[in-house]
Amino acid sequence: MKLTIFSRLLIGYLILFVLVIGMGGYATFQMSQISDITQSILTLNNRIIDSTTKLSEIIFSQVRYERKFIISKDEAFYNEFLKLKNDFDRYLTEMRSIVDDPQVMVFLDRIKDAYQNYQTFVYEEFKSPMGSNNLPLQAFGREKEEIINAIIADLEGLETYMHRNSDDKIKRVHEFGIQWRQHAVVMTGVFIVIGIMISLWINRSITHPISLLEKKTKEIGRGNFKGDLILSSPPELAGLAEAFNLMCHKLNELDQMKSDFFSSIAHELRTPLSTIKMGTSLLLEGTEGPLTHGQRNVLTIFEKESHRLISLVNSLLDLSKMEAGMMSFDFKPQSINPLIDQAVEEIRPLIEAKKIDLQVIITEKLPLLKLDRDRMLQVLRNIIGNAVKFTPEEGRIKIATRNLDHGVEVSITDTGPGISSGDLITIFEKFQQKIDRKGSIEGTGLGLAIAKQIILHHGGKIWAESSLGQGSTFIFVLPA
């Protein structure tokens, strides 16, 4: 199943939401445990310790009231004794009702039994008249003292036990805190990693197809109309890719129709143009009789324009053949230096007429290259000719070559008006005509397109570097 962009984002957000909820649930569970232990200390341990203290105070008060009653036989002391007994029983019952620790229950059971024995001895003592021979008062005193000491000892033991139990619970709370911090750090790290992985997955699944679409758009802008864009997902971008391929197919058909049209027109024009040129030449030679000065000037213009039209037609035919892969090349190992010298010598009269400072920096030890001599001369003539054409009088042109790791680089730099960054992208396309310093259009816009095709067929690459008002540099690299 191919997920849409919305589904991918929704799944990513849901996963992150579940992770956050899970971490929150775990934190709530840990905090509830800490809260239970803390509540246990506050409501159980502290309450039992307080009750233990109160029981100790009650037992000591009972002993005082008991002795006062025995001595004075005052009913008020006896009533206070009974009241304290009820308080002792009530506290003891409350403690037993809230305790679930077996060890505490052992203490409470012993205290209860001992306290009942104490009460029994007290009632027996209260019923025995002073000076009776049934049970000496000294015997009652020793028994009660042992029982009271046992009760006090158990109460102290219970209090000690509860203090120790509180300390243990506090340690557990501390351990829970440390454990929770460790788990929180680990879980946070894991969640961050998972979050980054999900973000990267979503980002990759969306931005990668978009980058391919962007790349394909740039290729279309450079004239590559191959409909080879394949995107399987997301469905939205897959549909867009299909639309791109369909557009490329249509553009390719239109480009082919245009190339076929120019090729056909060029073929149809070359024959009548050649006839016109031949007829003009015959007239200029006087074959049909003498010519006046005005007639000769008109025929000279006809011959010049016919020659220009034939050159244009030949350029169109060459470019069409190159684009269709039908142009034949005669590659032979040779140096490019003589070709540069020849191209410079051919255009030197124009260089001298414009008083241009020409610098030719040629590396002597260049490797031999597999070149088609005539086609490479065509490239050099076009680029050097453009440099001379667009360089103002008394300007500068530099032609340089240098070795590269696997080839040779040739650069032609001029001090002309320069080329804008937008035009640098399309300068090597067909019919991209340049504008000179006076604002007039120069050339047919085929020279650089032909040069590019020739360089590409040689396995090299060509580009331009320029900015308005700073001149231009045309560079091409040929493999060794």
Side-chain angles (χ1 to χ4, degrees):
M1 180 180 178
K2 298 176 182 178
L3 299 175
T4 63
I5 295 176
F6 175 77
S7 300
R8 294 165 192 256
L9 293 173
L10 181 62
I11 291 173
Y13 289 141
L14 285 176
I15 292 175
L16 294 176
F17 180 75
V18 169
L19 291 177
V20 171
I21 292 297
M23 187 173 182
Y26 179 75
T28 302
F29 172 73
Q30 292 284 19
M31 292 303 295
S32 65
Q33 286 189 307
I34 294 175
S35 177
D36 291 342
I37 295 174
T38 305
Q39 188 69 19
S40 173
I41 295 174
L42 295 175
T43 61
L44 180 62
N45 292 54
N46 290 347
R47 188 173 175 182
I48 292 177
I49 291 172
D50 291 341
S51 298
T52 302
T53 302
K54 291 178 180 179
L55 289 178
S56 298
E57 293 174 355
I58 290 173
I59 196 67
F60 284 123
S61 297
Q62 276 194 302
V63 170
R64 289 196 301 272
Y65 284 117
E66 170 218 335
R67 291 177 180 174
K68 290 179 180 179
F69 175 72
I70 292 173
I71 296 172
S72 66
K73 297 299 181 179
D74 188 345
E75 290 294 332
F77 295 127
Y78 181 72
N79 291 332
E80 289 295 329
F81 179 85
L82 293 177
K83 182 179 178 182
L84 291 173
K85 175 184 178 302
N86 293 331
D87 292 341
F88 192 95
D89 291 337
R90 178 168 54 83
Y91 280 116
L92 192 61
T93 301
E94 289 179 358
M95 292 170 66
R96 292 173 64 87
S97 65
I98 63 174
V99 169
D100 57 359
D101 188 340
Q103 184 63 37
V104 177
M105 291 300 296
V106 171
F107 280 108
L108 295 179
D109 288 340
R110 287 208 305 260
I111 293 171
K112 179 181 178 181
D113 294 338
Y115 187 70
Q116 289 177 350
N117 291 334
Y118 168 70
Q119 295 295 323
T120 301
F121 275 103
V122 169
Y123 290 142
E124 290 294 332
E125 187 176 15
F126 286 170
K127 288 191 265 183
S128 298
M130 293 294 291
S132 171
N133 294 326
N134 293 331
L135 185 63
L137 293 178
Q138 291 82 358
F140 280 112
R142 286 194 301 270
E143 292 290 341
K144 288 190 299 181
E145 186 175 355
E146 291 176 2
I147 293 172
I148 290 171
N149 290 336
I151 293 174
I152 297 302
D154 285 334
L155 289 173
E156 291 176 351
L158 177 58
E159 185 176 358
T160 301
Y161 176 79
M162 294 309 298
H163 279 297
R164 188 165 57 249
N165 184 264
S166 297
D167 292 339
D168 292 340
K169 289 180 178 179
I170 292 173
K171 290 180 181 178
R172 286 175 59 194
V173 170
H174 179 67
E175 292 172 357
F176 270 123
I178 294 176
Q179 185 181 19
W180 162 238
R181 284 195 298 272
Q182 293 173 346
H183 289 176
V185 171
V186 173
M187 292 171 67
T188 301
V190 171
F191 290 173
I192 290 175
V193 171
I194 294 175
I196 292 175
M197 291 177 63
I198 292 174
S199 299
L200 290 176
W201 170 69
I202 295 176
N203 182 69
R204 175 70 176 174
S205 65
I206 296 175
T207 58
H208 179 63
I210 292 177
S211 66
L212 293 178
L213 287 171
E214 180 185 9
K215 181 180 178 182
K216 187 60 182 178
T217 303
K218 292 180 179 178
E219 290 180 359
I220 293 173
R222 290 193 292 266
N224 180 8
F225 303 135
K226 291 182 179 179
D228 54 357
L229 185 60
I230 300 175
L231 296 176
S232 58
S233 64
E236 300 95 327
L237 298 182
L240 186 58
E242 293 178 1
F244 257 78
N245 290 333
L246 179 60
M247 179 181 66
C248 288
H249 178 69
K250 295 296 183 181
L251 289 173
N252 196 36
E253 288 182 351
L254 290 174
D255 188 64
Q256 186 62 40
M257 289 173 60
K258 182 180 68 175
S259 297
D260 293 342
F261 171 77
F262 283 123
S263 178
S264 176
I265 291 297
H267 276 289
E268 295 296 329
L269 287 176
R270 187 159 61 173
T271 300
L273 284 173
S274 298
T275 303
I276 293 172
K277 180 183 177 183
M278 184 179 298
T280 304
S281 298
L282 290 174
L283 290 173
L284 286 173
E285 291 173 0
T287 304
E288 299 296 328
L291 300 173
T292 65
H293 179 71
Q295 291 173 335
R296 183 171 294 277
N297 288 338
V298 172
L299 289 174
T300 300
I301 294 173
F302 284 170
E303 184 182 39
K304 179 180 177 181
E305 292 302 316
S306 297
H307 179 75
R308 189 174 70 85
L309 287 174
I310 290 173
S311 177
L312 174 59
V313 169
N314 289 333
S315 296
L316 282 172
L317 286 173
D318 288 345
L319 184 58
S320 298
K321 289 180 180 180
M322 290 179 191
E323 290 181 337
M326 298 174 62
M327 177 66 73
S328 60
F329 289 84
D330 183 17
F331 294 107
K332 292 181 180 179
Q334 53 190 303
S335 174
I336 198 172
N337 290 346
L339 304 182
I340 295 175
D341 292 336
Q342 181 178 340
V344 170
E345 289 303 319
E346 290 176 357
I347 203 170
R348 188 171 292 279
L350 183 57
I351 294 174
E352 293 176 351
K354 296 182 72 173
K355 299 179 182 180
I356 292 175
D357 179 16
L358 175 65
Q359 295 180 343
V360 181
I361 305 173
I362 296 178
T363 303
E364 295 295 335
K365 295 181 180 181
L366 291 176
L368 296 180
L369 306 174
K370 290 185 178 180
L371 304 175
D372 183 314
R373 177 183 178 84
D374 293 335
R375 297 302 175 190
M376 192 52 59
L377 272 173
Q378 191 175 359
V379 172
L380 292 170
R381 287 167 182 157
N382 278 329
I383 299 178
I384 296 174
N386 283 340
V388 174
K389 184 186 302 182
F390 290 98
T391 299
E393 293 186 2
E394 299 183 356
R396 296 186 306 277
I397 295 176
K398 183 176 73 172
I399 303 172
T401 62
R402 67 187 182 101
N403 273 315
L404 298 180
D405 292 338
H406 301 288
V408 173
E409 179 186 277
V410 180
S411 62
I412 297 95
T413 303
D414 62 56
T415 57
I419 305 169
S420 66
S421 57
D423 292 335
L424 284 175
I425 301 175
T426 59
I427 193 68
F428 292 98
E429 301 300 326
K430 292 177 289 187
F431 309 112
Q432 296 296 320
Q433 296 170 312
K434 294 182 179 180
I435 300 176
D436 65 7
R437 297 173 66 91
K438 298 178 181 180
S440 60
I441 296 176
E442 294 283 342
T444 61
L446 294 176
L448 290 178
I450 293 173
K452 177 182 178 181
Q453 289 294 329
I454 293 173
I455 295 297
L456 292 178
H457 279 81
H458 278 75
K461 57 183 179 178
I462 185 170
W463 69 94
E465 297 175 355
S466 179
S467 58
L468 288 176
Q470 302 297 322
S472 305
T473 300
F474 286 81
I475 306 167
F476 63 87
V477 176
L478 298 171

